[in-house]
Structures are given as structure tokens and as C-alpha cells.
């Protein structure tokens, strides 16, 4: 090959490497995934599970998009996936409404959609083929039952709400309130969104602790561990003992929260499993093979605390809390 041709070939190869637009391999299943963001340890574990599982599977070609907790970025990413002609679209919707139009566009393009982690409210059937994720209402119920059994039937509760309009925030609140509705002595006296982040959770807890109701707060119910971790800092800086002066219960089950409970700074975390990447790509492969898939694939989760042996499920379906030990902390995968 003459020198000129060699130079052109090298330049072309370099362009492909730099732009990353290597020709996609038609033998692979092209999956477009739009992630909420990187707002919490739970979310980072979720992303690692998705990317790690895609890496392991020769059958999958993943295009991953981080929406930075903005719905408009998710809608844009989904439209890009449609125009790219991916085989399957999956996403964790940052909020539960406002996706109907773009899901109809995916349906018109005959691209199946799998909801991951969070569900959406849509009025039309057939806009997604399956929803893989946790039962957030039951997570809220488990937190409510734990408060009744471990704090009692009289408690003033401060609530750190997740991202406004998101399925986990709506449903965890719903489940918690469903349980405490049976106990008029348990009252939510402060409630505000901390947007699932540690920084905002700390900021809102600081405002709670400066409010007239500050000294009445006996329990903190946080919709995720990251907001609870921020609140622990705020409680300590206010000169109070987290886990003792204010009992703390949250949801996710991230390792850092396990460490705080073991250290006596918090009391209970309701597990919400982010490690569902394998379930996602199992469904993707089944869809691609033309097989039917369940419309709902629930995650399997437990509840961990500093007590142990507390049934936070029902008599018919008990869910018994596991007391956190160093061994359990060391075994956590996220
Ligand atoms: C729950 C997930 C929530 C986590 C938060 O499945 O959607 O989003 O509880 C995360 O930590 O921000």
C-alpha cells in the first residue's frame, strides 16, 4: 500500500477511536439506557450493576445516558435511542408522569421499552413491556411497621421526602402513612423534600432543627439513606445524638448506612435492591428472542436494624429484621 493510502487509513482509524463511533456490531442486541443521574450511593450501585452486567454479556451493546435528574434529558435520550434504531430501550424515570408522548413514539417505532427501578403513570396500555423494580409502597409500610413496633404508638415524625413526583417518593410516603393511619398518636409533624441527596437532606434537617417543632421530633423517616446520612450530620452539629435523641429509619440499605447503624447513629434501613442489572438483560435477551416476559418483575429485599427479629411484614408474609453486625457490613455489595 502506498504511503498516502497508509496515512488515510491511519487517520480514519484514529477518528473512529477518538469519536468512539466504532461501527456497531449488528450481531449484538443494541440497548439504550437512560439513568436518573448519580444522586445517591444507591444510584451509583445501580449504574455499576447495569454497566457491569452489559460488559459481561457478549450479546449486549449498551448505550448509556445519565440524565442528571432532569426529565428533559431523559426524553431527549429516549428520542436519540429511537433515531439510532436501538433494539430495546430501558430507563429509570426520574418522575412518574410526562413520559406518555415519548413512549408512544417508541411504540410507533416498534422499539420495546423496559421500565427499570421506577414505574411511570400512563393512561394507555402497551407503552412498556415490563417493569423491573421494588415495591416502594411495601418499603414505606415496612418502615411504618418498624416505627410502631420499636418506637411505639405515640411518636412525632420528621419526614425527608425523595424527589418530588418520583415513584419512590410518592409510594414510600403512601405506604408509611397507610400504616401510621392506624395509630393517631404517630404524627408527621415536619415533611419536606431532600431530593434523594445527602447535601439537601442535611440542609432540610438543619431547617427542621431550627423550627419551633425541633424539640418535638422523636423519629426521622427518610425516603433514602443518602438524605438520612446528611441528616445525621445536621443532628450531630445541633448537639443531639442521632439514633438516640432522634430515632432514624430510612430506605435503600447502602453500606454507609449499615456502618452508621452499627456505630449507633441510626436505627433501621429498609433494603431496596439496586443490583438488578442481570434481571434487566435477561429480559432484554428474552424480548429479542421473541419470548414473552412478565409485565412485573419484583426485587427481593430485606430489612436491617440494630434490634433484630422484628417482623415488619405481615403475619401471612413475615419479613423479620436482621440485626446488623460487622460481618453483615463487610458482606454488603453496595
Ligand atoms: C429506588 C430508587 C431511589 C433510591 C434513591 O428504587 O429509585 O432513587 O431509593 C435513588 O437512593 O435516588
Amino acid at each position: 500500500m502506498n504511503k498516502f493510502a497508509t496515512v488515510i487509513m491511519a487517520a480514519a482509524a484514529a477518528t473512529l477511536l477518538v469519536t468512539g463511533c466504532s461501527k456497531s456490531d449488528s450481531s449484538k442486541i443494541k440497548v439504550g439506557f437512560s439513568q436518573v443521574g448519580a444522586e445517591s450511593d444507591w444510584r451509583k450501585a445501580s449504574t455499576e450493576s447495569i454497566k457491569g452486567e452489559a460488559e459481561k454479556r457478549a450479546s449486549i451493546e449498551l448505550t448509556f445516558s445519565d440524565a442528571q435528574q432532569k426529565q428533559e434529558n431523559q426524553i431527549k435520550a429516549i428520542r436519540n435511542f429511537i433515531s439510532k434504531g436501538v433494539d430495546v430501550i430501558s430507563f429509570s424515570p426520574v418522575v412518574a408522569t410526562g413520559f406518555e408522548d415519548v413512549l408512544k413514539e417508541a411504540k410507533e417505532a416498534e422499539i420495546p421499552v423496559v421500565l427499570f427501578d421506577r414505574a411511570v403513570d400512563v393512561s394507555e396500555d402497551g407503552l412498556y413491556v415490563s417493569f423491573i423494580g421494588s415495591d416502594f409502597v411495601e418499603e414505606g409500610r415496612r418502615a411504618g411497621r418498624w416505627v410502631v413496633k420499636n418506637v411505639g404508638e405515640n411518636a412525632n415524625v420528621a419526614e425527608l421526602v425523595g424527589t418530588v413526583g418520583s415513584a419512590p417518593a410518592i409510594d414510600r410516603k403512601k405506604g408509611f402513612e397507610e400504616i401510621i393511619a392506624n395509630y393517631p398518636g404517630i404524627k408527621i409533624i415536619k415533611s419536606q423534600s431532600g431530593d434523594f441527596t445527602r447535601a439537601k437532606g442535611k440542609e432540610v434537617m438543619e431547617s427542621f432543627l431550627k423550627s419551633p417543632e425541633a424539640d418535638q421530633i422523636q423519629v426521622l423517616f427518610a425516603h433514602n439513606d443518602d438524605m438520612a446520612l446528611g441528616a445525621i450530620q445536621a443532628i450531630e452539629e445541633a448537639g443531639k445524638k442521632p439514633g438516640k435523641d432522634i430515632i432514624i429509619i430510612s430506605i435503600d440499605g447502602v453500606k454507609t448506612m449499615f456502618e452508621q447503624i452499627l456505630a449507633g447513629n441510626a436505627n433501621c434501613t429498609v433494603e431496596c435492591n439496586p443490583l438488578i442489572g442481570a434481571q434487566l438483560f435477561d429480559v432484554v435477551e428474552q424480548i429479542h428472542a421473541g419470548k414473552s416476559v412478565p409485565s412485573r418483575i419484583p426485587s427481593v429485599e430485606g430489612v436491617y436494624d440494630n434490634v433484630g427479629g422484628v417482623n415488619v411484614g405481615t403475619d401471612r408474609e413475615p419479613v423479620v429484621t436482621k440485626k446488623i453486625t460487622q460481618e453483615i457490613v463487610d458482606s454488603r455489595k453496595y
Side-chain angles (χ1 to χ4, degrees):
M1 185 185 296
N2 70 35
K3 190 179 280 186
F4 179 71
T6 307
V7 169
I8 291 292
M9 290 293 283
T15 307
L16 277 178
L17 281 175
V18 166
T19 55
C21 61
S22 56
K23 193 171 173 313
S24 71
D25 179 342
S26 58
S27 68
K28 290 175 179 267
I29 306 169
K30 289 182 273 309
V31 179
F33 189 95
S34 170
Q35 179 64 292
V36 166
E39 73 282 1
S40 66
D41 287 358
W42 188 98
R43 186 64 56 195
K44 291 164 194 161
S46 163
T47 293
E48 280 168 31
S49 175
I50 296 159
K51 289 184 173 177
E53 191 61 30
E55 277 293 308
K56 282 185 213 163
R57 298 194 186 205
S59 63
I60 300 292
E61 180 182 302
L62 176 67
T63 304
F64 184 91
S65 159
D66 175 335
Q68 296 172 332
Q69 286 190 281
K70 292 184 175 59
Q71 179 172 36
E72 63 266 25
N73 291 344
Q74 290 205 295
I75 291 171
K76 209 181 296 173
I78 293 169
R79 287 197 167 118
N80 285 340
F81 297 149
I82 293 170
S83 61
K84 262 183 80 162
V86 298
D87 299 303
V88 181
I89 290 170
S90 182
F91 73 117
S92 173
V94 63
V95 290
T97 56
F99 286 102
E100 188 126 5
D101 289 347
V102 74
L103 288 175
K104 284 178 183 168
E105 292 166 32
K107 186 176 180 181
E108 278 150 31
E110 297 181 348
I111 300 176
V113 175
V114 177
L115 293 183
F116 181 89
D117 167 33
R118 298 180 180 180
V120 289
D121 295 342
V122 287
S123 57
E124 184 179 312
D125 288 342
L127 293 182
Y128 58 88
V129 292
S130 185
F131 164 41
I132 307 171
S134 304
D135 179 345
F136 302 133
V137 177
E138 179 55 22
E139 291 171 350
R141 291 193 194 103
R142 290 177 181 180
R145 294 186 193 114
W146 191 92
V147 169
V148 171
K149 293 194 172 182
N150 292 283
V151 181
E153 301 186 8
N154 294 287
N156 293 321
V157 179
E159 180 185 30
L160 286 173
V161 178
T163 301
V164 175
S166 69
I170 293 165
D171 288 351
R172 285 169 181 169
K173 183 177 189 62
K174 182 178 169 187
F176 187 83
E177 290 180 343
E178 182 188 298
I179 296 299
I180 68 168
N182 301 305
Y183 305 92
I186 301 179
K187 298 181 179 66
I188 296 177
I189 61 169
K190 301 297 285 184
S191 179
Q192 189 178 331
S193 175
D195 205 20
F196 282 134
T197 69
R198 209 170 294 201
K200 191 83 175 132
K202 181 172 189 275
E203 186 187 309
V204 172
M205 191 69 206
E206 284 165 350
S207 71
F208 287 171
L209 293 168
K210 289 179 184 136
S211 72
E213 298 84 358
D215 291 338
Q216 298 167 32
I217 299 171
Q218 295 163 295
V219 176
L220 170 66
F221 167 49
H223 289 190
N224 83 328
D225 290 344
D226 276 69
M227 293 189 292
L229 292 164
I232 287 170
Q233 278 183 291
I235 294 167
E236 286 171 333
E237 287 168 10
K240 296 191 175 203
K241 294 189 186 65
K244 297 172 188 66
D245 297 336
I246 296 177
I247 299 297
I248 297 174
I249 181 164
S250 61
I251 299 175
D252 273 352
V254 298
K255 186 169 188 172
T256 315
M257 180 48 83
F258 275 64
E259 291 164 342
Q260 287 298 311
I261 293 171
L262 190 62
N265 296 327
N267 306 82
C268 178
T269 183
V270 176
E271 189 178 38
C272 175
N273 184 1
L275 309 180
I276 51 178
Q279 285 172 289
L280 170 62
F281 293 116
D282 285 347
V283 166
V284 164
E285 288 174 346
Q286 285 161 13
I287 291 169
H288 196 67
K291 293 178 185 163
S292 64
V293 295
S295 59
R296 180 74 178 89
I297 303 172
S299 306
V300 178
E301 291 140 356
V303 181
Y304 296 83
D305 65 9
N306 58 353
V307 181
V310 181
N311 177 15
V312 293
T314 60
D315 294 342
R316 199 160 52 83
E317 291 181 64
V319 175
V320 179
T321 64
K322 295 187 182 73
K323 182 171 182 174
I324 292 175
T325 61
Q326 189 58 54
E327 195 181 357
I328 289 179
V329 171
D330 295 342
S331 70
R332 295 299 291 174
K333 295 192 181 74
Y334 68 96

